[in-house]
Amino acid sequence: DAAITERENQLRQKISFYGNDLLLGVYNQLTTEYMDASFTADKYLNKEMLLTQLSDAVEQNTLNYNVVVVVDTLFDMDAETFRSIKNMCQDKNLYIFTTDIYKDINDGCIYSFAEVLKENPEYYSPDRVRLSEQGNIEMFRIISDMLMNKE
């Protein structure tokens, strides 16, 4: 029984990361901190791609207990996409980290970096699209804090 409980606890700590450019910006820090995590990152990740990737992981029973989606404003999530993601991850801890503000989706698993960016314009690179090194460091810190404080 103790071995089974230990194995279950290990599985509960595993993380699946999915994301677009925003995830790629903190990829090196995340892979160093979460060496056992799985990463699926695509610069051009869109809603259909993410839903397919999650569906495949659920079907193949490879979706980890903690699911972290890291996307920027180009992802353009709507309420229907959010419900689909939430349904596929219904028995998982789901965290959606974004630089966007989803006014039509009010759920505790969505963490918006938008206010932080508004208050700290230095977190943007000069092109005002990508994050600066300082912005990526802060985003990594917030993601790590979020995961350490998970229920």
Side-chain angles (χ1 to χ4, degrees):
D1 281 342
I4 292 172
T5 302
E6 177 63 25
R7 178 69 179 140
E8 286 175 357
N9 285 336
Q10 288 174 348
L11 291 174
R12 286 183 160 314
Q13 297 304 312
K14 293 217 171 241
I15 304 169
S16 294
F17 286 94
Y18 294 86
N20 60 10
D21 270 357
L22 199 59
L23 177 60
L24 293 172
V26 291
Y27 178 80
N28 288 336
Q29 296 103 313
L30 289 171
T31 56
T32 300
E33 183 73 22
Y34 304 102
M35 291 181 275
D36 291 339
S38 66
F39 291 86
T40 305
D42 186 313
K43 181 178 180 178
Y44 303 107
L45 183 74
N46 61 37
K47 296 179 273 195
E48 293 78 20
M49 291 168 65
L50 177 61
L51 292 174
T52 298
Q53 291 167 353
L54 288 172
S55 178
D56 290 349
V58 168
E59 187 177 301
Q60 297 164 10
N61 198 28
T62 58
L63 190 62
N64 288 318
Y65 186 74
N66 298 288
V67 178
V68 180
V69 178
V70 182
V71 291
D72 58 24
T73 56
L74 296 177
F75 188 78
D76 193 33
M77 186 179 316
D78 55 32
E80 182 180 338
T81 302
F82 174 74
R83 279 191 300 277
S84 295
I85 293 169
K86 188 102 171 170
N87 286 338
M88 280 188 260
C89 299
Q90 62 187 343
D91 60 341
K92 312 291 184 190
N93 287 332
L94 175 63
Y95 307 92
I96 298 174
F97 189 83
T98 180
T99 56
D100 210 342
I101 297 174
Y102 301 122
K103 293 180 180 154
D104 60 334
I105 305 170
N106 185 12
D107 192 284
C109 71
I110 296 180
Y111 303 86
S112 177
F113 196 55
E115 278 302 313
V116 174
L117 289 171
K118 185 177 177 183
E119 294 170 7
N120 299 280
E122 70 276 11
Y123 287 172
Y124 277 115
S125 64
D127 67 9
R128 305 275 308 146
V129 175
R130 292 180 299 261
L131 296 182
S132 65
E133 183 178 344
Q134 189 178 4
N136 283 326
I137 290 168
E138 180 63 11
M139 187 175 69
F140 168 74
R141 186 193 64 74
I142 292 171
I143 291 172
S144 293
D145 287 352
M146 173 188 69
L147 289 170
M148 287 194 315
N149 295 319
K150 66 183 183 272
E151 296 176 41

